[in-house]
Amino acid sequence: NGLANRLISLGLEPRQRVCLVVQRSLPMAIAMLAVLKAGCQYVPLDGQVTAESALRHIMKDTEAPFVLCLEKFYAKVQQLAEPTARIIVLDSSIEEPESTLRPYLQVNRADGAYCIYTSGAYEHQLGHIII
């Protein structure tokens, strides 16, 4: 909730996409939930495996206003992200105090939950969560 509220207070709006440059970890899970709680779609990218050309393309194609990354990928993300994207380092941001109240946003079944780019042609698939 804290990270979701921080992203919202920084200007993240529902239905936007947020790139996650991470590896499987607790910060990755927290980032995914925060993006969903902010009413947005997460775009998971493995910072260790995804080629730099693919990272650059995906960050541009998604028009993500925020890129959340692990500290070890910060330099790479800073180099490849769009100039208008805000970069949040998860390792330090998760600990920063913020409201822990659950954000209340209007979302519906048609809103996407995630966007996954398949290997090869940079085509993407949009996932939905139906409750």
Side-chain angles (χ1 to χ4, degrees), residues 16-69:
Q16 290 182 311
R17 293 182 177 164
V18 177
C19 291
L20 308 180
V21 183
V22 293
Q23 290 178 298
R24 290 182 183 177
S25 61
L26 182 58
M28 178 190 83
I30 292 169
M32 290 168 64
L33 289 171
V35 170
L36 292 172
K37 286 181 176 216
C40 296
Q41 302 169 9
Y42 65 88
V43 183
L45 302 162
D46 188 323
Q48 201 159 338
V49 177
T50 308
E52 288 186 5
S53 59
L55 284 172
R56 181 179 284 115
H57 169 78
I58 293 167
M59 286 190 267
K60 181 176 183 166
D61 189 54
T62 59
E63 298 177 348
F66 288 88
V67 179
L68 310 182
C69 69

Side-chain angles (χ1 to χ4, degrees), residues 44-112:
L45 302 162
D46 188 323
Q48 201 159 338
V49 177
T50 308
E52 288 186 5
S53 59
L55 284 172
R56 181 179 284 115
H57 169 78
I58 293 167
M59 286 190 267
K60 181 176 183 166
D61 189 54
T62 59
E63 298 177 348
F66 288 88
V67 179
L68 310 182
C69 69
L70 295 175
E71 187 172 351
K72 66 183 182 177
F73 301 129
Y74 177 75
K76 182 190 292 188
V77 168
Q78 189 176 33
Q79 180 184 15
L80 302 173
E82 290 294 293
T84 56
R86 291 190 73 168
I87 302 168
I88 307 278
V89 178
L90 293 169
D91 308 64
S92 59
S93 294
I94 292 173
E95 301 300 322
E96 292 178 17
E98 191 70 48
S99 171
T100 57
L101 296 176
R102 181 176 179 205
Y104 180 76
L105 299 166
Q106 292 290 345
V107 294
N108 65 56
R109 299 168 130 203
D111 294 340

Side-chain angles (χ1 to χ4, degrees), residues 116-130:
I116 297 178
Y117 283 72
T118 59
S119 60
Y122 298 135
E123 294 181 28
H124 64 273
Q125 301 172 357
L126 187 59
H128 297 274
I129 295 178
I130 299 176

